[in-house]
Amino acid sequence: MRWLITGAGGLLGQAVERALEHEEISALKHTALDITDPVTVAKAVDGHQVVVNCAGYTRVDNAETHEDKANAVNGYGALTLARACAHTGARLIHVSSDYVFDGRSTVPYREDATPRPLNAYGRSKLMGEQAVQQVLPRTGYVVRTAWLYGAGGPSFVATMLRLGRTGETVSVVADQFGQPTWTADLARQLVALGHCKDAPAGIYHGTASGQASWFDLAREVLRLTGLDPLRVRPITTAEYPLPARRPVFGVLGHERWKLAGIREIGPWRDRLTLALSDPVFR
């Protein structure tokens, strides 16, 4: 079985490539594959049985003023890949986001919860989800994730490690909640999904279990690395305004993995502990 990874230069794309080290793969960075170009996408998809789409426009705040660019990649790009997969019979695993929700829930969002994005980035991701489901109703998989960290690029965890080592006090938002997720864990789930030919098509939630605020996560990163967690000071979202509104509550449920016979990732604190002990990540 041959795999194609799009967006292979990103944080998640690199993790998926590592998880597929013993498989036959084509790992294409955005400089090698523009997923909005139907001709190059068709050529790239041809000959592959599973496509993992890690490509995306991820500049959440910039998307507020450049929604057309976000839609082009996250929406039309997903559609272009889905059409190419439909033509060749390849299965598509498309990575989406918790930002398709408005954050007003008080319990974890089920996979079938109604999306109501708050910002342009979320709207563009929802466009991509809908495209994959419409074009590939039996062979398209949408995996929503959130709060990713891992080796090979910038992340909130990496930033906290860097700032924690300076000895300075850091102010971090304490009233937004989500699920910190290690890219290595999500990559393993995506690979397992690709191998499971009997997995029902549709939406899955690829995040660690439990929940944390950004403040909780920052303090835990410092504590686990022997730094002083008391250097992290809690602030509110109102004290740290950004162009794009963020969901206050982005916690996701994981029920559909049972249908595919694939295990959930597990508690975020346990996975963070393991990640920070990995010399590749550090």
Side-chain angles (χ1 to χ4, degrees):
M1 187 161 65
R2 293 187 64 197
W3 299 67
L4 170 64
I5 307 168
T6 66
L11 204 64
L12 180 58
Q14 292 178 66
V16 173
E17 184 174 0
R18 288 191 292 270
L20 288 168
E21 62 179 342
H22 300 300
E23 305 274 355
E24 188 176 359
I25 65 171
S26 301
L28 302 181
K29 300 179 181 180
H30 72 90
T31 52
L33 175 63
D34 175 1
I35 65 169
T36 68
D37 182 343
V39 175
T40 56
V41 166
K43 291 179 180 178
V45 169
D46 188 35
H48 297 87
Q49 286 70 54
V50 182
V51 177
V52 184
N53 181 28
C54 299
Y57 184 101
T58 58
R59 298 175 181 176
V60 175
D61 292 311
N62 285 359
E64 292 299 297
T65 52
H66 297 87
E67 190 164 359
D68 56 337
K69 293 182 179 179
N71 289 343
V73 178
N74 296 340
Y76 181 70
L79 174 62
T80 303
L81 281 167
R83 286 173 172 170
C85 288
H87 180 72
T88 64
R91 297 161 70 218
L92 174 61
I93 301 174
H94 172 70
V95 179
S96 189
S97 168
D98 65 316
Y99 275 33
V100 299
F101 295 118
D102 62 12
R104 295 177 182 175
S105 180
T106 57
V107 296
Y109 283 98
R110 291 169 50 93
E111 292 88 347
D112 59 0
T114 301
R116 293 187 179 90
L118 291 174
N119 55 43
Y121 171 75
R123 290 191 292 271
S124 73
K125 295 302 286 186
L126 181 57
M127 285 178 60
E129 289 189 7
Q130 293 171 338
V132 171
Q133 292 182 282
Q134 289 169 4
V135 177
L136 300 171
R138 290 180 294 276
T139 55
Y141 302 82
V142 172
V143 182
R144 295 175 180 141
T145 192
W147 294 32
L148 291 179
Y149 63 89
S155 68
F156 179 84
V157 169
T159 298
M160 288 304 106
L161 280 171
R162 176 176 55 80
L163 294 176
R165 288 166 180 150
T166 67
E168 298 178 5
T169 299
V170 182
S171 298
V172 178
V173 170
D175 58 357
Q176 293 177 22
F177 299 89
Q179 294 156 307
T181 303
W182 187 16
T183 52
D185 284 330
L186 178 57
R188 282 189 286 268
Q189 279 200 315
L190 299 180
V191 170
L193 190 59
H195 278 298
C196 185
K197 296 181 180 179
D198 296 328
I203 297 172
Y204 294 78
H205 286 167
T207 54
S209 58
Q211 68 181 65
S213 68
W214 292 112
F215 169 74
D216 295 330
L217 175 56
R219 281 203 162 182
E220 191 68 2
V221 168
L222 268 59
R223 186 186 70 80
L224 289 172
T225 52
L227 300 169
D228 183 5
L230 297 180
R231 292 202 201 110
V232 182
R233 182 179 72 88
I235 60 172
T236 65
T237 298
E239 293 177 271
Y240 190 68
L242 292 168
R245 294 173 62 195
R246 265 66 171 176
V248 171
F249 186 85
V251 179
L252 306 179
H254 312 104
E255 288 299 312
R256 292 202 80 230
W257 291 109
K258 295 175 184 176
L259 301 178
I262 298 172
R263 294 178 61 181
E264 296 181 28
I265 288 175
W268 72 268
R269 276 193 173 88
D270 294 348
R271 306 314 299 168
L272 178 65
T273 301
L274 184 61
L276 291 176
S277 69
D278 187 341
V280 174
F281 176 76
R282 298 289 293 277

